[in-house]
Amino acid sequence: MKLSIKKQFLLLFLLVLLVSLTLLSFLLRNTVENCFYDYKWAEQSKIFDLIVSRLETYYAEHKSWKGFNGNELAKLAMKEGCYFTLIDNNGELIWTSEHIIGNSPDTSYRYWRNIYPVNFHNQMQGKVYIGQFTDKIYTPNDMLFKEEVYTYILISLLASLLILLPFIMILSSMLSTPILYLQKSAENMIKGDLHTEIRAPASSLEIIKLSASLDRLRKSLAQQEDLRKQLASNISHELRTPLNVLQNQLEAIIDGIFEPTPERLDGILQEVIRLTSLVAELENISAIESSDFIPIIKDVKLANVVENVCTTFEAAFQRKNIALVVQIKKGIIVKAQEDKLKQLVINIISNALKYTDSGKVTVKTYMHKDDHAVFEVSDTGVGLTDDDKEKIFERFYRVEKSRNRNTGGAGLGLSIVKNIADAHHWKIEVESDGKTGTTFRVHF
Ligand code: ADP
């Protein structure tokens, strides 16, 4: 049977309360019983002393046990439930009232017996056995008193239960409210409410932490949801423009408005190439971003990868009349998936080329003083503002969108770079004064 957390708390507290109250009343009852028993025995010992002192007085008066008659003393003792047997120093029986016990209906009770010396002038003149049925030390009045005490204990137990019950209910509700709140918040998140802040009304550290974690999860889901929506709109926007151009051009050719000249066909081909590379970049991003992408790490010679990429870029740099300065330190090994490292190098160098109109691009690899490898590309291009530096790694983000449209970028290159670096746990650093060039650094 599944119970709500509130009911579980309530039952648990009730159980604890019942067990502790029962234990307490049991202990109390036992203590009362023992104390009362001890008190009765202390009272009883007075009668033992009286028997002994009467016997000593008798001996002091008669100097012998001859003619001793213990009838009266036996009666007195029996009133208090006691019996005695007097024996002289030779072990001879002088007097006993214990023979009555043989016929007593009380013999099923435990009979307690002790021995006391009977002295005269500090010399023992005999000994007396005094006995009593232990369970018979209580008078009817004593029994009544005991019953009353036990009834009061029971009443206090029930009263405490009644007084504590409302507190228990308040406590269980206090403890279960934050948990119920978190459960409701999680349900709301499942239903799609990702914009209501989660802050459980709790005072316990664990619940506060759980609530904060759930709120972080909510924020990150909301962010992902926004990104997903933004991505869908960005992709359709990016695809629509070249597709419209293609459609218009092709319709014009079919309608005979344009001649299918080699230049026009080349223009159409360029748009198709742009579309193809956009789709390739998107594929690339989704492959790296998928949760199961784990780079296959090997030891890679950084110099080889960077030099190869620089060689393929040489012609493009010459065409744009920009100097490519390469300063490579040989022998640096980095742990990487080689094709992803190459992609990162390509994207950063190609950006440096794209966003530099004159001057030079310097590509370096070296060991940092903290003993890790660094790949660095600095250009003398347009530079980046502090605000742009924060955003350039977002998908589809482009500084001055119209200008970049001419350079052919869709704003995905650096997003791919960031994903590759994150998957390898590398750090990227961007430096720029916003005017005279930019430096990208990857710390391996
Ligand atoms: P794109 O395909 O548009 O180049 P990226 O993701 O590679 O997309 O870069 C995002 C934006 O960052 C670019 O549009 C550009 O405005 C800016 N950027 C990237 N590299 C540089 C650079 N070296 N100098 C100046 N701006 C740059």
Side-chain angles (χ1 to χ4, degrees):
M1 186 180 54
K2 299 260 184 294
L3 284 178
S4 75
I5 189 135
K6 194 173 170 179
K7 279 190 188 138
Q8 281 187 12
F9 274 132
L10 197 70
L11 281 178
L12 189 77
F13 287 138
L14 259 177
L15 193 76
V16 172
L17 187 72
L18 269 175
V19 170
S20 30
L21 283 179
T22 316
L23 256 173
L24 193 74
S25 58
F26 183 72
L27 272 174
L28 217 62
R29 200 192 139 110
N30 248 18
T31 315
V32 169
E33 174 79 50
N34 286 344
C35 289
F36 195 50
Y37 190 76
D38 289 349
Y39 164 77
K40 284 303 291 181
W41 269 110
E43 283 294 299
Q44 213 63 26
S45 64
K46 285 182 191 160
I47 190 82
F48 305 156
D49 292 346
L50 183 81
I51 294 170
V52 174
S53 103
R54 288 271 176 99
L55 290 174
E56 282 177 346
T57 312
Y58 178 89
Y59 194 87
E61 283 169 4
H62 299 85
K63 309 289 184 298
S64 119
W65 291 117
K66 235 182 221 162
F68 174 76
N69 186 332
N71 261 341
E72 264 193 36
L73 193 57
K75 267 187 210 155
L76 185 79
M78 247 189 299
K79 253 198 210 157
E80 301 297 329
C82 293
Y83 306 89
F84 70 91
T85 300
L86 177 65
I87 288 168
D88 69 8
N89 278 346
N90 303 322
E92 294 280 323
L93 176 71
I94 310 295
W95 177 269
T96 181
S97 65
E98 282 186 310
H99 60 279
I100 307 169
I101 299 165
N103 309 322
S104 163
D106 295 336
T107 41
S108 57
Y109 293 111
R110 198 163 69 85
Y111 189 69
W112 174 92
R113 200 168 187 241
N114 207 357
I115 186 165
Y116 300 88
V118 181
N119 295 329
F120 176 63
H121 284 322
N122 286 334
Q123 281 221 320
M124 199 169 88
Q125 303 304 333
K127 45 194 174 180
V128 60
Y129 290 91
I130 307 178
Q132 172 155 43
F133 289 104
T134 49
D135 304 273
K136 289 273 121 187
I137 63 168
Y138 296 119
T139 62
N141 269 348
D142 293 340
M143 295 303 283
L144 214 66
F145 171 76
K146 269 190 352 176
E147 283 313 311
E148 249 174 58
V149 171
Y150 296 155
T151 316
Y152 279 126
I153 291 177
L154 196 72
I155 290 172
S156 355
L157 174 100
L158 291 174
S160 328
L161 202 68
L162 279 180
I163 292 169
L164 289 175
L165 204 63
F167 288 104
I168 286 182
M169 287 167 90
I170 293 170
L171 196 67
S172 0
S173 141
M174 261 170 70
L175 285 173
S176 54
T177 304
I179 296 170
L180 293 176
Y181 172 91
L182 289 176
Q183 181 219 353
K184 187 102 198 86
S185 304
E187 268 170 18
N188 287 346
M189 270 165 62
I190 293 168
K191 281 183 199 150
D193 176 6
L194 296 172
H195 296 282
T196 314
E197 193 190 356
I198 298 174
R199 193 185 290 175
S203 53
S204 63
L205 207 64
E206 289 78 7
I207 301 279
I208 291 172
K209 276 188 185 163
L210 179 65
S211 164
S213 307
L214 206 62
D215 198 51
R216 271 208 300 281
L217 179 68
R218 174 195 68 81
K219 275 187 196 143
S220 111
L221 284 176
Q223 219 170 22
Q224 276 177 27
E225 181 68 9
D226 288 350
L227 272 176
R228 197 183 56 76
K229 284 184 189 153
Q230 197 192 351
L231 182 66
S233 99
N234 280 336
I235 291 174
S236 50
H237 181 257
E238 288 303 320
L239 291 176
R240 199 180 311 117
T241 316
L243 280 173
N244 277 347
V245 173
L246 281 176
Q247 190 182 351
N248 291 342
Q249 300 253 2
L250 288 171
E251 275 172 0
I253 290 171
I254 290 164
D255 293 347
I257 302 167
F258 287 156
E259 282 291 309
T261 59
E263 294 78 40
R264 244 184 210 120
L265 288 175
D266 189 52
I268 291 174
L269 180 66
Q270 290 313 317
E271 281 304 316
V272 173
I273 289 171
R274 194 137 78 124
L275 268 176
T276 314
S277 80
L278 176 65
V279 171
E281 280 184 333
L282 282 170
E283 271 174 1
N284 215 325
I285 280 199
S286 66
I288 296 175
E289 279 191 353
S290 73
S291 52
D292 46 322
F293 172 72
I294 299 167
I296 302 158
I297 304 284
K298 289 199 175 121
D299 282 348
V300 180
K301 287 180 182 151
L302 185 60
N304 285 5
V305 174
V306 178
E307 269 172 352
N308 276 345
V309 174
C310 287
T311 313
T312 56
F313 269 98
E314 264 166 14
F317 272 88
Q318 271 170 16
R319 265 202 304 276
K320 224 178 153 186
N321 206 16
I322 291 163
L324 175 63
V325 182
V326 184
Q327 296 171 354
I328 303 281
K329 184 170 170 19
K330 296 270 182 198
I332 297 179
I333 303 284
V334 291
K335 301 222 172 280
Q337 180 169 325
E338 188 164 348
D339 57 334
K340 298 292 173 212
L341 172 64
K342 188 171 176 189
Q343 172 126 48
L344 174 143
V345 172
I346 291 174
N347 287 9
I348 295 178
I349 296 180
S350 79
N351 273 354
L353 174 64
K354 264 195 276 181
Y355 303 109
T356 305
D357 295 327
S358 62
K360 61 173 181 178
V361 169
T362 311
V363 178
K364 287 185 196 171
T365 60
Y366 56 89
M367 283 307 287
H368 193 270
K369 59 177 170 23
D370 290 346
D371 208 29
H372 65 261
V374 180
F375 163 65
E376 182 182 299
V377 177
S378 10
D379 60 52
T380 53
V382 289
L384 285 164
T385 63
D386 284 346
D387 190 36
D388 289 332
K389 274 193 265 178
E390 303 245 310
K391 295 183 183 152
I392 48 173
F393 294 102
E394 288 171 16
R395 275 178 297 202
F396 295 107
Y397 183 81
R398 290 177 300 216
V399 182
E400 284 182 51
K401 298 186 188 250
S402 54
R403 177 170 61 84
N404 288 321
R405 178 85 63 205
N406 300 332
T407 62
L412 291 174
L414 285 181
S415 168
I416 294 173
V417 166
K418 174 89 170 54
N419 283 327
I420 293 174
D422 285 351
H424 286 82
H425 308 291
W426 298 334
K427 206 181 122 214
I428 307 175
E429 200 185 337
V430 187
E431 236 175 60
S432 176
D433 59 4
K435 297 187 268 295
T436 54
T438 311
T439 300
F440 279 85
R441 245 174 245 119
V442 180
H443 297 263
F444 295 96

